Amino acid sequence: MSRATDDEPLPPPPGGVLWGLAGDIRALLMLPAALTMQVAHPAVAAGVDEHSVFRTDPWGRGERSLRSLQLWIYGGEAAAAEGRRLRELHRTIQGTDAHGRRYHALSPAYYSWVHATGFPVYRHAARYLVRELTDAEERQLYAEWLQVGRILGIHDRDMPQTIEEFWPYYRKVLADELEATVVVRELVDVGQPVPPPDRGPLPLRLVLRALWPVLRPPLARFRRFMTIGLMPPDAREAIGLPWTGAQERRLRRFARVVRAVVPVLPERLRYLPLAREARRKERARLAAGTDGAQRVKRLRSGRRAR
């Protein structure tokens, strides 16, 4: 990718809240909730329905989307180039939504909503899978998410610039725009056909293909469970997705296990590849500084550098 110019935004700095959340494997459990909130907006749903390959190539699309997200945060100077690539990719995506309204993928209201969903989902899901963020950390997370938005080409005028401004905007979208679109219903439908994974080592793919009729139903139920469970309750209610007290108790039990197991995993298993490489480079950089040893220790433990 081309080198970023001086006036292009860079990702949030290492050691921040987002740096710790987005590269942890627990983030994989959070992303379906954000995606479902995005496509609950009729304009976004129409764009995905008409232009995405999520039905025919779900694993490839998921892999590309995850890599793109990781570049926004851990890509350094490559982040700006990825942001430009995404805007160019969405430039021709337009059409008519289910209500007969014209849409364009880069319309500020729609493009900003797609990005905005990440903040409430990270904030809510962290309470279960990691820990509850402090007020200061929530504010930092929001500031860092705004910085990621700038990488994606979202102007400050198109996103609330403070948490105090964000929540009224968020609640208005929930009340006025979101619904159980066709794409939402597909994403939470446990009977929806999904092909076996076509990524990874050939022997593993062959085994998964053979076992897929047995594996797919419980995996589909788990995906629905985590998608709805890690979605903020007000968004879940706005879309009309059911959630019971028994399901909430199951989610809390599952989350306790995740919180106990993930922090003791070796780094190669705990962090996604781009995050792992970025952490390695940051440790090397910090080790060269005067207070490097203590800061490296904090980075290795997964805590935010202070």
Side-chain angles (χ1 to χ4, degrees), residues 41-306:
H41 193 296
V44 180
V48 171
D49 187 27
E50 297 171 8
H51 299 276
S52 174
V53 296
F54 81 98
R55 295 184 183 96
T56 56
D57 183 24
W59 302 102
R61 184 187 186 278
E63 182 181 62
R64 292 188 295 273
S65 296
L66 180 61
R67 176 174 174 78
S68 182
L69 187 155
Q70 296 284 292
L71 281 172
W72 310 342
I73 299 163
Y74 303 104
E77 293 177 341
E82 177 63 11
R84 292 194 303 273
R85 185 191 73 82
L86 283 177
R87 288 187 68 84
E88 187 61 31
L89 182 68
H90 287 82
R91 200 168 300 281
T92 60
I93 297 178
Q94 56 188 310
T96 304
D97 71 16
H99 299 283
R101 299 172 299 198
R102 296 289 301 171
Y103 72 86
H104 190 288
L106 294 180
S107 295
Y110 310 147
Y111 198 57
S112 296
W113 171 250
V114 169
H115 178 62
T117 57
F119 169 68
V121 168
Y122 275 132
R123 172 183 176 269
H124 178 68
R127 295 175 176 177
Y128 290 88
L129 302 179
V130 184
R131 61 177 175 80
E132 186 164 2
L133 302 178
T134 66
D135 289 345
E137 287 171 334
E138 282 191 17
R139 290 181 180 277
Q140 182 176 347
L141 174 62
Y142 188 70
E144 292 171 354
W145 202 237
L146 286 177
Q147 181 64 13
V148 172
R150 296 181 187 110
I151 289 169
L152 298 177
I154 297 173
H155 298 293
D156 285 352
R157 65 177 179 269
D158 295 325
M159 277 287 291
Q161 292 300 291
T162 66
I163 285 184
E164 288 79 9
E165 294 171 338
F166 175 80
W167 292 118
Y169 152 78
Y170 169 76
R171 288 190 289 269
K172 181 173 174 53
V173 175
L174 296 190
D176 296 348
E177 301 287 349
L178 299 198
E179 61 186 52
T181 64
V182 171
V183 182
V184 166
R185 293 196 296 271
E186 285 191 34
L187 291 179
V188 297
D189 180 4
V190 297
Q192 195 69 20
V194 177
D198 57 2
R199 299 295 191 275
L202 178 60
L204 177 61
R205 281 184 281 141
L206 293 175
V207 170
L208 289 174
R209 185 183 304 169
L211 296 177
W212 196 240
V214 176
L215 294 176
R216 191 200 63 78
L219 289 175
R221 290 192 295 271
F222 178 73
R223 186 185 189 280
R224 174 187 168 90
F225 176 72
M226 297 306 299
T227 297
I228 301 176
L230 294 182
M231 186 180 294
D234 49 3
R236 185 195 303 150
E237 182 178 354
I239 300 171
L241 296 174
W243 189 250
T244 67
Q247 288 174 313
E248 179 67 20
R249 291 189 291 274
R250 283 172 52 205
L251 177 61
R252 291 180 182 274
R253 290 195 298 269
F254 173 78
R256 283 197 294 270
V257 174
V258 171
R259 290 197 306 270
V261 171
V262 173
V264 299
L265 292 176
E267 186 165 282
R268 70 180 184 278
L269 298 179
R270 179 176 175 181
Y271 293 100
L272 299 168
L274 286 177
R276 192 167 62 242
E277 177 62 14
R279 291 172 64 85
R280 183 191 65 77
K281 290 180 179 178
E282 181 64 8
R283 281 198 299 270
R285 187 186 71 81
L286 293 178
T290 55
D291 60 346
Q294 184 63 25
R295 295 177 70 185
V296 168
K297 182 178 178 181
R298 287 175 179 163
L299 190 62
R300 280 183 173 147
S301 71
R303 292 178 303 191
R304 207 165 39 94
R306 298 183 186 274

